[in-house]
Amino acid sequence: MSLVLIFFYVFGFLAIASAAFMLATKNVLYAAFGLLVTLLSLAAIFVLLFADFVAITQLMVYVGGVLVLILFGVMLSNQVQGRAVQSESVNGISGALVAGILFGGLAYLILSADYLYLEGINVADAAPVNTKSSIIAIGIRLITNFALPFEVASLILLIALMGAAYISTEDKHE
């Protein structure tokens, strides 16, 4: 068993355990920290799978942006009238039923998949994995082939940000 495989299992277990903790806890701040550990573990798994761009995007967008915003919101509103904010589960039975159906369906699809393309392939004879970073290729594609869609997406996000800033102001000009 290689060191990469050991790290993969460690980070996989950590991601699953922290996600289960996030779902089981009633304290909103603890749930946010469980989400932090889950997202960091997923970023580590992406690094182990040589998906550098996805790992950096995971860190910058989700951990660096969304999660920090959630943590600031929770920490600023954590003490409401002298008590910590608690979440209550109200649909535990129906949520467990939907999760069980989804798990069963995904397990059926994975176990019934046709893996004919793997027959007769010896792992030792397989070509080595390309360990070259994917960031350079993605950057070149974004600047050459996909420059216009990239700029259109950034313009749409800028318009959405301006709209959110306008909606959030209290003094609206009618």
PDB file of all heavy atoms in Angstrom, residues 81-112:
ATOM      1  N   GLN A  81     -29.758  36.907  22.462  1.00  0.00           N
ATOM      2  CA  GLN A  81     -30.399  37.031  23.765  1.00  0.00           C
ATOM      3  C   GLN A  81     -29.702  36.157  24.806  1.00  0.00           C
ATOM      4  O   GLN A  81     -30.334  35.488  25.607  1.00  0.00           O
ATOM      5  CB  GLN A  81     -31.881  36.682  23.684  1.00  0.00           C
ATOM      6  CG  GLN A  81     -32.661  37.602  22.772  1.00  0.00           C
ATOM      7  CD  GLN A  81     -34.086  37.140  22.588  1.00  0.00           C
ATOM      8  OE1 GLN A  81     -34.463  36.055  23.000  1.00  0.00           O
ATOM      9  NE2 GLN A  81     -34.876  37.972  21.946  1.00  0.00           N
ATOM     10  N   GLY A  82     -28.359  36.106  24.749  1.00  0.00           N
ATOM     11  CA  GLY A  82     -27.594  35.419  25.775  1.00  0.00           C
ATOM     12  C   GLY A  82     -27.436  33.929  25.604  1.00  0.00           C
ATOM     13  O   GLY A  82     -26.829  33.283  26.431  1.00  0.00           O
ATOM     14  N   ARG A  83     -27.977  33.322  24.543  1.00  0.00           N
ATOM     15  CA  ARG A  83     -27.793  31.887  24.339  1.00  0.00           C
ATOM     16  C   ARG A  83     -27.228  31.613  22.959  1.00  0.00           C
ATOM     17  O   ARG A  83     -27.396  32.405  22.054  1.00  0.00           O
ATOM     18  CB  ARG A  83     -29.080  31.077  24.481  1.00  0.00           C
ATOM     19  CG  ARG A  83     -30.311  31.800  24.785  1.00  0.00           C
ATOM     20  CD  ARG A  83     -31.496  30.891  24.751  1.00  0.00           C
ATOM     21  NE  ARG A  83     -32.091  31.014  23.425  1.00  0.00           N
ATOM     22  CZ  ARG A  83     -33.240  30.554  23.091  1.00  0.00           C
ATOM     23  NH1 ARG A  83     -33.932  29.875  23.939  1.00  0.00           N
ATOM     24  NH2 ARG A  83     -33.724  30.710  21.912  1.00  0.00           N
ATOM     25  N   ALA A  84     -26.560  30.497  22.841  1.00  0.00           N
ATOM     26  CA  ALA A  84     -25.953  30.126  21.563  1.00  0.00           C
ATOM     27  C   ALA A  84     -27.031  29.693  20.578  1.00  0.00           C
ATOM     28  O   ALA A  84     -28.071  29.147  20.962  1.00  0.00           O
ATOM     29  CB  ALA A  84     -24.948  28.992  21.761  1.00  0.00           C
ATOM     30  N   VAL A  85     -26.793  29.951  19.304  1.00  0.00           N
ATOM     31  CA  VAL A  85     -27.752  29.578  18.264  1.00  0.00           C
ATOM     32  C   VAL A  85     -27.708  28.069  18.081  1.00  0.00           C
ATOM     33  O   VAL A  85     -26.656  27.488  17.872  1.00  0.00           O
ATOM     34  CB  VAL A  85     -27.419  30.295  16.940  1.00  0.00           C
ATOM     35  CG1 VAL A  85     -28.343  29.831  15.836  1.00  0.00           C
ATOM     36  CG2 VAL A  85     -27.505  31.795  17.102  1.00  0.00           C
ATOM     37  N   GLN A  86     -28.854  27.446  18.200  1.00  0.00           N
ATOM     38  CA  GLN A  86     -28.979  26.005  18.029  1.00  0.00           C
ATOM     39  C   GLN A  86     -29.896  25.734  16.850  1.00  0.00           C
ATOM     40  O   GLN A  86     -30.840  26.472  16.608  1.00  0.00           O
ATOM     41  CB  GLN A  86     -29.572  25.357  19.290  1.00  0.00           C
ATOM     42  CG  GLN A  86     -28.778  25.595  20.545  1.00  0.00           C
ATOM     43  CD  GLN A  86     -27.538  24.730  20.599  1.00  0.00           C
ATOM     44  OE1 GLN A  86     -27.551  23.595  20.178  1.00  0.00           O
ATOM     45  NE2 GLN A  86     -26.453  25.286  21.109  1.00  0.00           N
ATOM     46  N   SER A  87     -29.598  24.683  16.112  1.00  0.00           N
ATOM     47  CA  SER A  87     -30.484  24.289  15.016  1.00  0.00           C
ATOM     48  C   SER A  87     -31.248  23.039  15.441  1.00  0.00           C
ATOM     49  O   SER A  87     -30.728  22.191  16.154  1.00  0.00           O
ATOM     50  CB  SER A  87     -29.682  24.013  13.745  1.00  0.00           C
ATOM     51  OG  SER A  87     -28.872  22.882  13.918  1.00  0.00           O
ATOM     52  N   GLU A  88     -32.455  22.963  14.995  1.00  0.00           N
ATOM     53  CA  GLU A  88     -33.284  21.813  15.336  1.00  0.00           C
ATOM     54  C   GLU A  88     -33.633  21.069  14.063  1.00  0.00           C
ATOM     55  O   GLU A  88     -33.981  21.652  13.069  1.00  0.00           O
ATOM     56  CB  GLU A  88     -34.584  22.277  16.017  1.00  0.00           C
ATOM     57  CG  GLU A  88     -34.369  22.995  17.315  1.00  0.00           C
ATOM     58  CD  GLU A  88     -35.679  23.454  17.929  1.00  0.00           C
ATOM     59  OE1 GLU A  88     -36.737  22.976  17.487  1.00  0.00           O
ATOM     60  OE2 GLU A  88     -35.629  24.280  18.834  1.00  0.00           O
ATOM     61  N   SER A  89     -33.536  19.734  14.124  1.00  0.00           N
ATOM     62  CA  SER A  89     -33.960  18.959  12.979  1.00  0.00           C
ATOM     63  C   SER A  89     -35.428  18.655  13.125  1.00  0.00           C
ATOM     64  O   SER A  89     -35.836  18.120  14.125  1.00  0.00           O
ATOM     65  CB  SER A  89     -33.271  17.665  12.868  1.00  0.00           C
ATOM     66  OG  SER A  89     -32.259  17.347  13.362  1.00  0.00           O
ATOM     67  N   VAL A  90     -36.156  18.996  12.099  1.00  0.00           N
ATOM     68  CA  VAL A  90     -37.594  18.782  12.157  1.00  0.00           C
ATOM     69  C   VAL A  90     -38.040  17.684  11.206  1.00  0.00           C
ATOM     70  O   VAL A  90     -39.117  17.141  11.368  1.00  0.00           O
ATOM     71  CB  VAL A  90     -38.363  20.088  11.837  1.00  0.00           C
ATOM     72  CG1 VAL A  90     -38.172  21.094  12.946  1.00  0.00           C
ATOM     73  CG2 VAL A  90     -37.942  20.667  10.525  1.00  0.00           C
ATOM     74  N   ASN A  91     -37.228  17.345  10.231  1.00  0.00           N
ATOM     75  CA  ASN A  91     -37.604  16.326   9.250  1.00  0.00           C
ATOM     76  C   ASN A  91     -36.598  15.181   9.249  1.00  0.00           C
ATOM     77  O   ASN A  91     -36.095  14.782   8.214  1.00  0.00           O
ATOM     78  CB  ASN A  91     -37.684  16.938   7.842  1.00  0.00           C
ATOM     79  CG  ASN A  91     -38.795  17.941   7.729  1.00  0.00           C
ATOM     80  OD1 ASN A  91     -39.823  17.782   8.358  1.00  0.00           O
ATOM     81  ND2 ASN A  91     -38.588  18.959   6.924  1.00  0.00           N
ATOM     82  N   GLY A  92     -36.315  14.631  10.402  1.00  0.00           N
ATOM     83  CA  GLY A  92     -35.316  13.577  10.507  1.00  0.00           C
ATOM     84  C   GLY A  92     -35.720  12.291   9.804  1.00  0.00           C
ATOM     85  O   GLY A  92     -34.913  11.671   9.118  1.00  0.00           O
ATOM     86  N   ILE A  93     -36.960  11.890   9.946  1.00  0.00           N
ATOM     87  CA  ILE A  93     -37.406  10.625   9.351  1.00  0.00           C
ATOM     88  C   ILE A  93     -37.460  10.736   7.833  1.00  0.00           C
ATOM     89  O   ILE A  93     -36.948   9.870   7.116  1.00  0.00           O
ATOM     90  CB  ILE A  93     -38.766  10.211   9.940  1.00  0.00           C
ATOM     91  CG1 ILE A  93     -38.621   9.933  11.440  1.00  0.00           C
ATOM     92  CG2 ILE A  93     -39.331   9.000   9.218  1.00  0.00           C
ATOM     93  CD1 ILE A  93     -39.920   9.689  12.146  1.00  0.00           C
ATOM     94  N   SER A  94     -38.054  11.805   7.325  1.00  0.00           N
ATOM     95  CA  SER A  94     -38.131  11.944   5.868  1.00  0.00           C
ATOM     96  C   SER A  94     -36.747  12.190   5.262  1.00  0.00           C
ATOM     97  O   SER A  94     -36.454  11.709   4.164  1.00  0.00           O
ATOM     98  CB  SER A  94     -39.089  13.075   5.489  1.00  0.00           C
ATOM     99  OG  SER A  94     -38.636  14.300   6.023  1.00  0.00           O
ATOM    100  N   GLY A  95     -35.879  12.904   5.969  1.00  0.00           N
ATOM    101  CA  GLY A  95     -34.521  13.106   5.483  1.00  0.00           C
ATOM    102  C   GLY A  95     -33.743  11.804   5.429  1.00  0.00           C
ATOM    103  O   GLY A  95     -33.014  11.531   4.477  1.00  0.00           O
ATOM    104  N   ALA A  96     -33.899  10.974   6.454  1.00  0.00           N
ATOM    105  CA  ALA A  96     -33.235   9.673   6.462  1.00  0.00           C
ATOM    106  C   ALA A  96     -33.784   8.770   5.360  1.00  0.00           C
ATOM    107  O   ALA A  96     -33.028   8.017   4.730  1.00  0.00           O
ATOM    108  CB  ALA A  96     -33.393   9.013   7.829  1.00  0.00           C
ATOM    109  N   LEU A  97     -35.073   8.866   5.102  1.00  0.00           N
ATOM    110  CA  LEU A  97     -35.681   8.068   4.037  1.00  0.00           C
ATOM    111  C   LEU A  97     -35.140   8.477   2.663  1.00  0.00           C
ATOM    112  O   LEU A  97     -34.756   7.622   1.857  1.00  0.00           O
ATOM    113  CB  LEU A  97     -37.204   8.211   4.079  1.00  0.00           C
ATOM    114  CG  LEU A  97     -37.982   7.437   3.023  1.00  0.00           C
ATOM    115  CD1 LEU A  97     -37.850   5.945   3.285  1.00  0.00           C
ATOM    116  CD2 LEU A  97     -39.434   7.855   3.030  1.00  0.00           C
ATOM    117  N   VAL A  98     -35.077   9.780   2.403  1.00  0.00           N
ATOM    118  CA  VAL A  98     -34.541  10.261   1.127  1.00  0.00           C
ATOM    119  C   VAL A  98     -33.062   9.908   0.992  1.00  0.00           C
ATOM    120  O   VAL A  98     -32.609   9.470  -0.074  1.00  0.00           O
ATOM    121  CB  VAL A  98     -34.769  11.790   0.987  1.00  0.00           C
ATOM    122  CG1 VAL A  98     -34.009  12.356  -0.196  1.00  0.00           C
ATOM    123  CG2 VAL A  98     -36.244  12.085   0.846  1.00  0.00           C
ATOM    124  N   ALA A  99     -32.302  10.056   2.073  1.00  0.00           N
ATOM    125  CA  ALA A  99     -30.875   9.701   2.032  1.00  0.00           C
ATOM    126  C   ALA A  99     -30.697   8.211   1.778  1.00  0.00           C
ATOM    127  O   ALA A  99     -29.808   7.812   1.016  1.00  0.00           O
ATOM    128  CB  ALA A  99     -30.198  10.113   3.332  1.00  0.00           C
ATOM    129  N   GLY A 100     -31.519   7.381   2.389  1.00  0.00           N
ATOM    130  CA  GLY A 100     -31.433   5.934   2.161  1.00  0.00           C
ATOM    131  C   GLY A 100     -31.770   5.563   0.728  1.00  0.00           C
ATOM    132  O   GLY A 100     -31.112   4.700   0.132  1.00  0.00           O
ATOM    133  N   ILE A 101     -32.790   6.201   0.163  1.00  0.00           N
ATOM    134  CA  ILE A 101     -33.157   5.929  -1.233  1.00  0.00           C
ATOM    135  C   ILE A 101     -32.035   6.362  -2.172  1.00  0.00           C
ATOM    136  O   ILE A 101     -31.665   5.635  -3.104  1.00  0.00           O
ATOM    137  CB  ILE A 101     -34.488   6.625  -1.588  1.00  0.00           C
ATOM    138  CG1 ILE A 101     -35.643   5.948  -0.852  1.00  0.00           C
ATOM    139  CG2 ILE A 101     -34.729   6.610  -3.092  1.00  0.00           C
ATOM    140  CD1 ILE A 101     -36.952   6.678  -0.958  1.00  0.00           C
ATOM    141  N   LEU A 102     -31.464   7.541  -1.936  1.00  0.00           N
ATOM    142  CA  LEU A 102     -30.347   8.003  -2.767  1.00  0.00           C
ATOM    143  C   LEU A 102     -29.135   7.092  -2.639  1.00  0.00           C
ATOM    144  O   LEU A 102     -28.485   6.759  -3.632  1.00  0.00           O
ATOM    145  CB  LEU A 102     -29.975   9.434  -2.403  1.00  0.00           C
ATOM    146  CG  LEU A 102     -30.906  10.532  -2.897  1.00  0.00           C
ATOM    147  CD1 LEU A 102     -30.484  11.873  -2.333  1.00  0.00           C
ATOM    148  CD2 LEU A 102     -30.915  10.574  -4.402  1.00  0.00           C
ATOM    149  N   PHE A 103     -28.814   6.687  -1.419  1.00  0.00           N
ATOM    150  CA  PHE A 103     -27.680   5.790  -1.203  1.00  0.00           C
ATOM    151  C   PHE A 103     -27.911   4.453  -1.888  1.00  0.00           C
ATOM    152  O   PHE A 103     -27.009   3.909  -2.535  1.00  0.00           O
ATOM    153  CB  PHE A 103     -27.427   5.587   0.293  1.00  0.00           C
ATOM    154  CG  PHE A 103     -26.281   4.677   0.578  1.00  0.00           C
ATOM    155  CD1 PHE A 103     -24.975   5.116   0.426  1.00  0.00           C
ATOM    156  CD2 PHE A 103     -26.508   3.370   0.983  1.00  0.00           C
ATOM    157  CE1 PHE A 103     -23.906   4.275   0.682  1.00  0.00           C
ATOM    158  CE2 PHE A 103     -25.452   2.516   1.240  1.00  0.00           C
ATOM    159  CZ  PHE A 103     -24.144   2.970   1.088  1.00  0.00           C
ATOM    160  N   GLY A 104     -29.100   3.915  -1.765  1.00  0.00           N
ATOM    161  CA  GLY A 104     -29.410   2.640  -2.417  1.00  0.00           C
ATOM    162  C   GLY A 104     -29.344   2.740  -3.932  1.00  0.00           C
ATOM    163  O   GLY A 104     -28.815   1.853  -4.603  1.00  0.00           O
ATOM    164  N   GLY A 105     -29.866   3.829  -4.491  1.00  0.00           N
ATOM    165  CA  GLY A 105     -29.812   4.016  -5.931  1.00  0.00           C
ATOM    166  C   GLY A 105     -28.391   4.167  -6.444  1.00  0.00           C
ATOM    167  O   GLY A 105     -28.015   3.571  -7.465  1.00  0.00           O
ATOM    168  N   LEU A 106     -27.575   4.948  -5.734  1.00  0.00           N
ATOM    169  CA  LEU A 106     -26.177   5.114  -6.155  1.00  0.00           C
ATOM    170  C   LEU A 106     -25.395   3.813  -6.000  1.00  0.00           C
ATOM    171  O   LEU A 106     -24.571   3.475  -6.859  1.00  0.00           O
ATOM    172  CB  LEU A 106     -25.520   6.235  -5.358  1.00  0.00           C
ATOM    173  CG  LEU A 106     -25.961   7.646  -5.724  1.00  0.00           C
ATOM    174  CD1 LEU A 106     -25.357   8.650  -4.759  1.00  0.00           C
ATOM    175  CD2 LEU A 106     -25.563   7.982  -7.145  1.00  0.00           C
ATOM    176  N   ALA A 107     -25.637   3.081  -4.914  1.00  0.00           N
ATOM    177  CA  ALA A 107     -24.956   1.804  -4.732  1.00  0.00           C
ATOM    178  C   ALA A 107     -25.348   0.827  -5.827  1.00  0.00           C
ATOM    179  O   ALA A 107     -24.504   0.099  -6.363  1.00  0.00           O
ATOM    180  CB  ALA A 107     -25.284   1.229  -3.354  1.00  0.00           C
ATOM    181  N   TYR A 108     -26.633   0.810  -6.204  1.00  0.00           N
ATOM    182  CA  TYR A 108     -27.074  -0.065  -7.294  1.00  0.00           C
ATOM    183  C   TYR A 108     -26.400   0.314  -8.610  1.00  0.00           C
ATOM    184  O   TYR A 108     -25.947  -0.560  -9.347  1.00  0.00           O
ATOM    185  CB  TYR A 108     -28.600   0.014  -7.432  1.00  0.00           C
ATOM    186  CG  TYR A 108     -29.108  -0.709  -8.653  1.00  0.00           C
ATOM    187  CD1 TYR A 108     -29.163  -2.095  -8.674  1.00  0.00           C
ATOM    188  CD2 TYR A 108     -29.512  -0.005  -9.781  1.00  0.00           C
ATOM    189  CE1 TYR A 108     -29.619  -2.765  -9.794  1.00  0.00           C
ATOM    190  CE2 TYR A 108     -29.953  -0.664 -10.903  1.00  0.00           C
ATOM    191  CZ  TYR A 108     -30.015  -2.050 -10.910  1.00  0.00           C
ATOM    192  OH  TYR A 108     -30.446  -2.701 -12.016  1.00  0.00           O
ATOM    193  N   LEU A 109     -26.321   1.612  -8.911  1.00  0.00           N
ATOM    194  CA  LEU A 109     -25.678   2.041 -10.154  1.00  0.00           C
ATOM    195  C   LEU A 109     -24.193   1.692 -10.184  1.00  0.00           C
ATOM    196  O   LEU A 109     -23.672   1.263 -11.212  1.00  0.00           O
ATOM    197  CB  LEU A 109     -25.853   3.551 -10.341  1.00  0.00           C
ATOM    198  CG  LEU A 109     -27.239   4.020 -10.742  1.00  0.00           C
ATOM    199  CD1 LEU A 109     -27.293   5.536 -10.780  1.00  0.00           C
ATOM    200  CD2 LEU A 109     -27.622   3.449 -12.083  1.00  0.00           C
ATOM    201  N   ILE A 110     -23.516   1.863  -9.069  1.00  0.00           N
ATOM    202  CA  ILE A 110     -22.086   1.555  -9.023  1.00  0.00           C
ATOM    203  C   ILE A 110     -21.858   0.057  -9.150  1.00  0.00           C
ATOM    204  O   ILE A 110     -20.981  -0.389  -9.896  1.00  0.00           O
ATOM    205  CB  ILE A 110     -21.464   2.119  -7.734  1.00  0.00           C
ATOM    206  CG1 ILE A 110     -21.426   3.643  -7.797  1.00  0.00           C
ATOM    207  CG2 ILE A 110     -20.059   1.566  -7.514  1.00  0.00           C
ATOM    208  CD1 ILE A 110     -21.035   4.303  -6.496  1.00  0.00           C
ATOM    209  N   LEU A 111     -22.646  -0.740  -8.435  1.00  0.00           N
ATOM    210  CA  LEU A 111     -22.427  -2.180  -8.451  1.00  0.00           C
ATOM    211  C   LEU A 111     -22.899  -2.837  -9.742  1.00  0.00           C
ATOM    212  O   LEU A 111     -22.391  -3.890 -10.120  1.00  0.00           O
ATOM    213  CB  LEU A 111     -23.119  -2.830  -7.247  1.00  0.00           C
ATOM    214  CG  LEU A 111     -22.545  -2.430  -5.884  1.00  0.00           C
ATOM    215  CD1 LEU A 111     -23.382  -3.024  -4.762  1.00  0.00           C
ATOM    216  CD2 LEU A 111     -21.094  -2.852  -5.768  1.00  0.00           C
ATOM    217  N   SER A 112     -23.861  -2.243 -10.430  1.00  0.00           N
ATOM    218  CA  SER A 112     -24.352  -2.849 -11.669  1.00  0.00           C
ATOM    219  C   SER A 112     -23.682  -2.279 -12.915  1.00  0.00           C
ATOM    220  O   SER A 112     -24.032  -2.666 -14.023  1.00  0.00           O
ATOM    221  CB  SER A 112     -25.868  -2.653 -11.773  1.00  0.00           C
ATOM    222  OG  SER A 112     -26.158  -1.280 -11.950  1.00  0.00           O
TER     223      SER A 112
END
